[in-house]
Amino acid sequence: MSLTTAHSVVAPSANSKRIAGAIIIAYALISIVPLLWIFATSFKTPPDSIAYPPKLLFQPSLEGYCNLFTTRTRQTPEYINSLGPATGFCDETTRKRNMVIAGPSNFLPRFVNSLIIAFGSTFCAVFLGTLSAYGFSRFKVPLADDLLFFILSTRFMPPIAVAIPIYLMYRELGLSDTALGMILLYTAVNVSLAVWLLKGFIDEIPREYEEAAMIDGYTRLQAFWRTVLPQATTGIAATAIFCLIFAWNEYAFAALLTSGTAQTAPPFIPTIIGEGGQDWPAVAAGTTIFLVPILVFTILLRKQLLRGITFGAVRK
Amino acid sequence: MLNRTAENVARATPEPLARKVRGISDKGLAWLFISPTILLLLAINIFPLFWAIYLSFTNYRANRPNEVVKNLGFANYQRILGDQDIWIAMQTTAHFVFWTILLQTLIGFTLAWLIDRKFRGHAFWTTLILVPMMLSPAVVGNFWRFLYEPQIGLFSYVISFVSGIPPTSIQMLSNVSMAPWSIIIVDTWMWTPYVMLICLAGLRSIPEYIYEAAEVDRASNWRQFWSITLPMALPFIMLAVLFRGIENFKMFDMVNLLTGGGPGSTTEVASITLKRQAFESWRTGYSSAFAIILFVAVFGLANIYVKALNKVKQR
């Protein structure tokens, strides 16, 4: 669906347009406040982040980002003085709080896990989804409707319900807390969306292209490769981004099935703690870094958004 | 090289024969295309589901894999249906689903109806409104905990600023009567754009000539809204309710991060109960039975609802 198509319902009066616009803008601004607050908090110092009343104006600091990527231990001022000059900005900020950097935090590995698992599962889901969608779209598959409904229905199950047997299965197979296990799981969850969305996109490509190609002597497979696939690129790209967003954001499976090496960022970020409680600037910094790719994708995707979130049930 | 030769041979051969020479039959190809997906779903969805069904009849505990597994028949199911706590969790879930859907539909539809007026710059503001639903519920839930903090949070500050209630008494997450609402507010904030987007598609699908005809008949704006806009957009609204309903029935991330089911068990929705039983008390068999009951409930309700939806569509 395009959000910008020209269309007007019996030309509303200029006045009613203005009122509608004012309400929408007010809603948009209010709803965006929590996000702006996350962003602002990521540039506060820990004391500023918990000041009351909440500080709107503050001296920006990168301490939150420093704390996000490091772990620190408390030391005596004498010990810190004996260390010699600080080695860079983060070291300096840390020393100001009577601490020294003990080592890197787990954020970067968790973030990398998120990248590997999200991109890996997206690739697999889109690959399998494209093949199946083409199969369902172009061939007479026995029980096609039932199979498609079966594929969709795998999304009805509460993740926790599936998590129990998958936990046991993965334990038997040695897939617990591995990136491979998570990639397989997210592929299975995403493939339903991929098949449904891509089937819609491929249905829209006229069959005549392939028929023409096959008359020219191409095989079915070659016709698929040379005519359908290039035509479906936009649909495939949109599907990929939806799968990516899901895998990137997923929490329930990740929280239950990973704990260490394969943990992704969503269950990790809430566990970031500083001295005496949650280190909010660090949490906000992690959140900000984590949100940026999604914001970019949202803007890229806005035209396909509706299809993606409704499994293609609502078109254009 | 080989390909090139085959292609030349094929080019010289009549078309149906060419296909047989160089390719697999269409039927074989169809299965080749579809089977990987089906196999994956069988392995990661259906096999675990059957395993869960099997476990639901046993007293198996995942933290004691070496213990002898006893077959209990329907005892787990009987105990669940007689368990007061489970019924309370189901009620809490229903409460959440009802309020989130009501609020999201009302606000979402109103927003869509306003945006449909095409004021200047509506595309930009619409995109801005859509941002919350694209975020990770876990990250969002965690951060809202910060906003809700009674002493330092922005939310309590704004509320106390507006209402004059001292910020220390705005205990959104630890107050028994407010805790469910704190989750409903976040869920509504996050998912209203979703409902709005689907409603907007519904409103845009109404052909303009219907309004023109109504205008000719001098139907009032109010009348046009009730007899054209609402009924024509209804299938879309119902679709949004279906998707949100299924999702909120399964709600886990937000609750787990905001309140963890507390205070007491005031926000303990079905998924949280399930997690406690399965991964904290390790009553694997018992929780599997509960999982099966939940699955059947979602599946059954969704099916009934889709039938109603189809009826509305046909009208």
Side-chain angles (χ1 to χ4, degrees):
Chain A
M1 185 210 57
S2 162
L3 297 174
T4 51
T5 44
H7 157 108
S8 67
V9 177
V10 188
S13 70
N15 215 7
S16 86
K17 270 190 185 185
R18 217 168 296 141
I19 297 167
I23 299 173
I24 293 296
I25 292 169
Y27 180 88
L29 291 176
I30 292 171
S31 82
I32 215 76
V33 163
L35 288 173
L36 295 176
W37 197 249
I38 297 177
F39 185 68
T41 306
S42 76
F43 291 103
K44 286 180 178 177
T45 59
D48 275 354
S49 75
I50 55 169
Y52 194 88
K55 274 197 176 176
L56 271 178
L57 295 172
F58 54 91
Q59 182 74 41
S61 149
L62 286 174
E63 195 175 340
Y65 290 85
C66 288
N67 291 357
L68 176 67
F69 286 98
T70 59
T71 55
R72 298 155 304 281
T73 48
R74 183 158 287 285
Q75 295 291 352
T76 57
E78 295 76 33
Y79 175 81
I80 291 171
N81 283 332
S82 73
L83 286 176
T87 56
F89 174 77
C90 284
D91 195 19
E92 205 181 299
T93 348
T94 311
R95 286 184 189 191
K96 269 188 204 147
R97 306 232 178 268
N98 284 331
M99 286 188 277
V100 289
I101 292 174
S105 75
N106 275 335
F107 179 71
L108 201 59
R110 300 303 186 251
F111 191 79
V112 171
N113 281 343
S114 274
L115 286 174
I116 294 172
I117 292 169
F119 278 93
S121 66
T122 299
F123 176 79
C124 297
V126 171
F127 179 75
L128 295 179
T130 311
L131 291 184
S132 304
Y134 182 75
F136 280 116
S137 177
R138 292 298 196 262
F139 300 112
K140 270 216 175 83
V141 180
L143 299 173
D145 285 344
D146 293 319
L147 280 176
L148 278 168
F149 183 72
F150 156 70
I151 291 174
L152 178 68
S153 69
T154 55
R155 284 241 171 168
F156 288 168
M157 257 191 276
I160 317 292
V162 206
I164 305 162
I166 287 184
Y167 173 83
L168 298 173
M169 190 166 96
Y170 277 14
R171 199 167 69 180
E172 295 294 318
L173 296 172
L175 285 170
S176 304
D177 206 9
T178 62
L180 179 65
M182 294 312 283
I183 289 176
L184 281 175
L185 180 57
Y186 287 171
T187 305
V189 179
N190 265 337
V191 82
S192 53
L193 174 73
V195 172
W196 274 74
L197 263 179
L198 284 165
K199 185 176 175 294
F201 283 116
I202 293 175
D203 280 343
E204 278 167 20
I205 303 170
R207 285 159 179 262
E208 283 78 26
Y209 286 112
E210 291 146 272
E211 278 160 17
M214 287 195 302
I215 287 168
D216 284 348
Y218 289 120
T219 59
R220 189 49 107 157
L221 218 52
Q222 286 169 325
F224 165 69
W225 186 255
R226 300 204 182 162
T227 65
V228 179
L229 222 48
Q231 298 267 332
T233 359
T234 326
I236 291 174
T239 309
I241 298 181
F242 283 114
C243 293
L244 201 62
I245 290 177
F246 167 82
W248 188 251
N249 284 343
E250 207 283 331
Y251 169 76
F253 284 127
L256 294 169
L257 298 175
T258 67
S259 48
T261 47
Q263 195 184 41
T264 52
F268 173 75
I269 291 173
T271 63
I272 301 170
I273 43 169
E275 295 240 309
Q278 197 120 34
D279 185 346
W280 289 112
V283 172
T287 307
T288 305
I289 294 176
F290 189 75
L291 296 185
V292 170
I294 297 297
L295 293 182
V296 175
F297 287 145
T298 312
I299 294 162
L300 289 176
L301 258 193
R302 62 191 188 283
K303 296 218 163 105
Q304 269 94 24
L305 212 52
L306 189 63
R307 253 188 153 165
I309 60 171
T310 60
F311 276 74
V314 177
R315 242 164 244 179
K316 175 98 190 186
Chain B
M1 203 44 182
L2 205 66
N3 256 345
R4 191 52 63 78
T5 340
E7 229 164 277
N8 287 336
V9 172
R11 208 155 276 159
T13 347
E15 195 252 330
L17 194 64
R19 245 195 277 178
K20 262 187 204 144
V21 172
R22 287 182 304 143
I24 319 159
S25 73
D26 272 10
K27 205 176 171 192
L29 212 53
W31 280 110
L32 198 67
F33 275 38
I34 292 164
S35 54
T37 302
I38 303 292
L39 288 177
L40 179 77
L41 288 176
L42 285 176
I44 306 246
N45 264 295
I46 299 307
F47 176 67
L49 180 67
F50 277 95
W51 197 345
I53 293 175
Y54 159 73
L55 287 174
S56 71
F57 294 111
T58 68
N59 65 346
Y60 181 73
R61 282 165 168 269
N63 61 339
R64 294 179 205 162
N66 298 324
E67 228 164 68
V68 184
V69 179
K70 253 198 314 197
N71 190 331
L72 301 177
F74 281 93
N76 280 332
Y77 288 90
Q78 264 172 351
R79 265 167 61 208
I80 286 165
L81 295 175
D83 188 336
Q84 201 60 42
D85 291 346
I86 295 250
W87 283 108
I88 293 173
M90 293 304 275
Q91 267 174 29
T92 312
T93 311
H95 181 253
F96 275 122
V97 173
F98 174 79
W99 282 107
T100 50
I101 285 184
L102 183 72
L103 289 171
Q104 286 163 27
T105 312
L106 279 178
I107 305 173
F109 182 81
T110 312
L111 291 176
W113 186 67
L114 291 169
I115 288 176
D116 201 33
R117 258 133 236 274
K118 303 265 162 191
F119 56 91
R120 267 183 82 184
H122 64 96
F124 170 79
W125 295 105
T126 312
T127 310
L128 196 63
I129 289 178
L130 294 178
V131 169
M133 71 176 220
M134 307 300 290
L135 310 177
S136 167
V139 172
V140 161
N142 183 50
F143 213 85
W144 270 85
R145 227 177 63 221
F146 177 56
L147 298 177
Y148 278 143
E149 287 273 337
Q151 286 289 349
I152 56 176
L154 183 67
F155 184 88
S156 16
Y157 176 73
V158 172
I159 296 292
S160 89
F161 189 84
V162 173
S163 66
I165 302 167
T168 39
S169 31
I170 304 171
Q171 308 266 357
M172 289 297 286
L173 294 174
S174 49
N175 180 304
V176 173
S177 57
M178 287 320 284
W181 287 100
S182 67
I183 294 166
I184 293 170
I185 290 172
V186 182
D187 197 80
T188 303
W189 171 78
M190 191 163 173
W191 294 110
T192 296
Y194 180 100
V195 179
M196 180 200 83
L197 196 56
I198 299 177
C199 289
L200 193 57
L203 293 174
R204 299 244 160 116
S205 74
I206 304 173
E208 217 166 302
Y209 66 83
I210 299 186
Y211 286 105
E212 281 158 11
E215 204 74 0
V216 171
D217 292 344
R218 301 189 168 218
S220 68
N221 282 341
W222 192 238
R223 182 68 205 269
Q224 284 182 25
F225 179 81
W226 281 108
S227 16
I228 301 172
T229 313
L230 209 53
M232 301 269 303
L234 191 61
F236 288 82
I237 301 172
M238 285 181 75
L239 196 68
V241 168
L242 173 71
F243 282 118
R244 280 319 305 149
I246 292 176
E247 284 303 313
N248 276 352
F249 194 86
K250 305 192 295 190
M251 176 156 45
F252 173 72
D253 17 35
M254 214 101 91
V255 184
N256 196 41
L257 278 154
L258 280 169
T259 63
S265 58
T266 41
T267 58
E268 190 169 317
V269 289
S271 287
I272 298 281
T273 310
L274 200 51
K275 185 202 114 190
R276 284 196 181 161
Q277 294 290 344
F279 291 93
E280 283 165 26
S281 310
W282 294 104
R283 300 164 74 185
T284 315
Y286 184 74
S287 54
S288 294
F290 186 36
I292 301 295
I293 291 179
L294 279 181
F295 177 58
V296 171
V298 183
F299 207 80
L301 287 174
N303 264 320
I304 294 169
Y305 187 88
V306 168
K307 287 220 172 80
L309 178 65
N310 284 336
K311 245 182 215 158
V312 171
K313 261 190 190 163
Q314 275 160 17
R315 247 197 350 221

